Every structure is written in structure tokens, then in C-alpha cells.
Amino acid sequence: MKKRAYTPEYCEAQYNVRAAIPEHAQIFACWKERSRQARQTLPCALDVAYGDGPNEALDIFQARGESRALLTFLHGGFWRALDKSDFSFIANPFVEWGVTVAVVNYALTPVVTVETIVRQMLAAHAWLYRNCKRYGVPPDRIHVSGHSAGGQLSAMMLAAVWSAYARGLPDDLVKSGLAVSGVYDLEPLLQVSFNSDMRLNAESVRKLSPINYRPLRSVPFFTAVGGDESEEFRRQNRLIAETWEHCFRREIPMPRCHHLGVIEQLGDPESALFAGALEMMGLG
């Protein structure tokens, strides 16, 4: 896919989500309140450590009844903002459907690099594989999902060669993935103002862009992007589908959704995105 000539002005307009959505502060406040309520009402284990580093913890929301799967959720915020506690609300419908949900935290830039965050996500999923039985989930039922920067992280989990990462891990540790509004070609982010936090350079862009990898297995991979998102987010979605054609199953249409509104749909049991997640896990 041929890329246009990028300028800093174009990239800023395409990727600066907060500038494009003036009501973002109210949306974030709503997420926090919905998530607070979820933590109060759902069976959960909070701030479970998966490592000793900064923010290396996750919240586990246990399925009602026998757990049919474990879905991890990796949040967005361009690796520089937001927190697992903002996304507890996503667990609501999955718990009722017998899916255990792990909302995973990571350290943020500029305190750490994006590469460090990828390594934290590898550590989190390895920890879950080794420990999920204590939460009633068989280790062969782990699936990954993520939004925006979390979409990049989810894709990197699908591309990981787990047996090379650590002894005793199977290469099919992650059974399937759903990436929502992900960023798979990081090169345009070199041009945005907030790269002062992300600290990406030509080498890290090469190393951290999922389009530069090819998963060894044809692991089922679903994507979604809001119909009202910028052309660049829609291009990113098309690009990963073409690059990972051996994994790609389908795009879940999300019309009339902007970049923040689209991920809210994952927590809605009536939405196409929730139904697509169940389909991805073989539960639809």
C-alpha cells in the first residue's frame, strides 16, 4: 500500500485524537465512573502483580460460573496516558457470558520506552499463562484485545514467538486477537508533537511496527475501526489486514463511531464489536 507524503501538520491532524474530539475529557470521566461501578459490582481481583516493574499489575474480572475463556484487554493512550482502572467497564458483558477478563496495566512514556511496554505485555501474558488456573481459566484459552496503542500491543502479542521468549511457553499461547483502531505502522508518529513523550526514532519504529512481523501461525485476527475516525486510522486498519492476510479473518464494521466511541462498544452486549469478540474466541 503506497503511503502519501506525510507532513507534521497532516500527521498531527490525523493522530491527535484529543484535539479531534473536544469532549474527550467528559468521555474519560464517564469511563472512570462506569469502571468504578464495575469494580464494585463484579467479582474481581485488583492490582495483581505480574512483575516487579512500574505499573506491572492487572485487574482480573472472573466469569460468573465456569470460565469459557480469558480475554486480556490492553488500553490505548499512545503509550503515554490512561490506566487499566479506566477500562474496568469493558468486563461487564463478558463476565455474564462466562469470559474472564484481565485488564492489563503498563508503565507510560516518557518514563519508559515503547519497547519496554511491549516487553511488559509479554511478561503479563506469560504470567497469565502460568497462573490463570487459580482464577478458573485453563491456560489454553487465552485471547488478546486492545485499543489504539493497545491494538499495536495486541498485534505484537500475536506475532511473539513464545517458546523463544521463555522456556515452557507454547507458541500458540495467544489463541486469537481483536485490535480496535490500532497503530501498526508507527512511522507517521515520528511527525506528531507528542512524540516528545513517546521518543520514537527510525530504529524503534522499525522494531515496534507490527507490519514488520509475520506471525508464524495463522492465528485468528479480527480488527475494527470507527467509521468516523481519521483516514490514517482507517489506513492502518487496511494495512494490517493486507500484511497479515494469513491471519486476518474479518473487519467488524463500526459506523458512526469516532476513536473513543468505538471502544465503548466493546462493553456493550448489544454491539457488533462485542459479538465480534465472542466470535473471535469461538463463543459466538
Side-chain angles (χ1 to χ4, degrees), residues 27 31 34 73 87 89-94 147 178 180-181 224-227 229 252-278:
I27 293 172
W31 291 357
R34 291 174 61 192
F73 179 77
F87 294 94
F89 71 89
I90 285 171
N92 278 311
F94 289 102
H147 173 236
L178 167 64
V180 182
S181 306
V225 65
E229 296 201 54
I252 303 165
M254 298 301 298
R256 299 180 300 280
C257 288
H258 58 48
H259 187 76
L260 301 180
V262 67
I263 197 56
E264 294 179 338
Q265 299 298 303
L266 192 59
D268 179 356
E270 303 300 320
S271 74
L273 193 58
F274 177 75
L278 292 181

Side-chain angles (χ1 to χ4, degrees), residues 105-143:
N105 232 19
Y106 49 85
L108 301 176
T109 64
V111 176
V112 301
T113 64
V114 178
E115 181 174 351
T116 295
I117 295 170
V118 172
R119 294 185 182 279
Q120 287 182 312
M121 294 303 92
L122 292 169
H125 285 80
W127 186 93
L128 283 165
Y129 176 80
R130 296 177 179 127
N131 293 276
C132 61
K133 282 185 179 179
R134 71 174 71 169
Y135 300 99
V137 184
D140 61 350
R141 297 181 187 176
I142 299 174
H143 309 263

Side-chain angles (χ1 to χ4, degrees), residues 2-275:
K2 185 178 180 180
K3 289 194 293 189
R4 59 168 291 151
Y6 288 104
T7 64
E9 294 77 16
Y10 177 77
C11 293
E12 190 76 15
Q14 292 290 305
Y15 288 102
N16 193 329
V17 173
R18 296 191 182 197
I21 305 174
E23 68 275 21
H24 64 266
Q26 294 93 325
I27 293 172
F28 293 156
C30 180
W31 291 357
K32 285 183 179 295
E33 177 57 24
R34 291 174 61 192
S35 293
R36 184 189 65 80
Q37 294 176 9
R39 291 191 297 274
Q40 288 184 341
T41 58
L42 297 178
C44 57
L46 303 177
D47 297 316
V48 179
Y50 64 81
D52 299 324
N55 285 18
E56 290 185 348
L58 46 83
D59 294 339
I60 299 176
F61 297 87
Q62 293 179 255
R64 298 195 191 277
E66 182 179 357
S67 184
R68 305 165 72 191
L70 170 64
L71 178 67
T72 64
F73 179 77
L74 315 182
H75 71 78
F78 280 114
W79 310 279
R80 60 194 280 269
L82 304 179
D83 184 86
K84 65 178 172 57
S85 63
D86 298 320
F87 294 94
S88 306
F89 71 89
I90 285 171
N92 278 311
F94 289 102
V95 165
E96 299 301 327
W97 269 78
V99 176
T100 296
V101 177
V103 185
V104 187
N105 232 19
Y106 49 85
L108 301 176
T109 64
V111 176
V112 301
T113 64
V114 178
E115 181 174 351
T116 295
I117 295 170
V118 172
R119 294 185 182 279
Q120 287 182 312
M121 294 303 92
L122 292 169
H125 285 80
W127 186 93
L128 283 165
Y129 176 80
R130 296 177 179 127
N131 293 276
C132 61
K133 282 185 179 179
R134 71 174 71 169
Y135 300 99
V137 184
D140 61 350
R141 297 181 187 176
I142 299 174
H143 309 263
V144 64
S145 66
H147 173 236
S148 195
Q152 178 263 352
L153 295 170
S154 297
M156 294 296 277
M157 297 306 100
L158 296 177
V161 182
W162 291 100
S163 59
Y165 173 71
R167 182 178 299 177
L169 299 181
D171 282 329
D172 64 346
L173 187 152
V174 177
K175 302 301 182 183
S176 68
L178 167 64
V180 182
S181 306
V183 182
Y184 315 105
D185 167 21
L186 273 59
E187 186 175 356
L189 299 182
L190 293 173
Q191 304 270 18
V192 300
S193 62
F194 47 92
N195 192 37
S196 58
D197 283 344
M198 298 183 297
R199 294 180 289 150
L200 296 169
N201 56 38
E203 175 59 21
S204 60
V205 159
R206 182 198 63 78
K207 194 171 186 178
L208 299 168
S209 292
I211 60 167
N212 293 330
Y213 299 89
R214 180 179 175 86
L216 298 179
R217 303 174 298 112
S218 57
V219 55
F221 181 51
F222 288 62
T223 68
V225 65
D228 290 345
E229 296 201 54
S230 71
E231 171 53 32
E232 268 297 284
F233 278 107
R234 288 181 278 127
R235 179 189 71 86
Q236 295 272 0
N237 200 61
R238 295 191 300 269
L239 180 60
I240 196 65
E242 294 172 4
T243 306
W244 288 12
E245 78 288 342
H246 66 304
C247 297
F248 182 68
R249 296 300 186 266
R250 73 178 182 93
E251 176 186 345
I252 303 165
M254 298 301 298
R256 299 180 300 280
C257 288
H258 58 48
H259 187 76
L260 301 180
V262 67
I263 197 56
E264 294 179 338
Q265 299 298 303
L266 192 59
D268 179 356
E270 303 300 320
S271 74
L273 193 58
F274 177 75

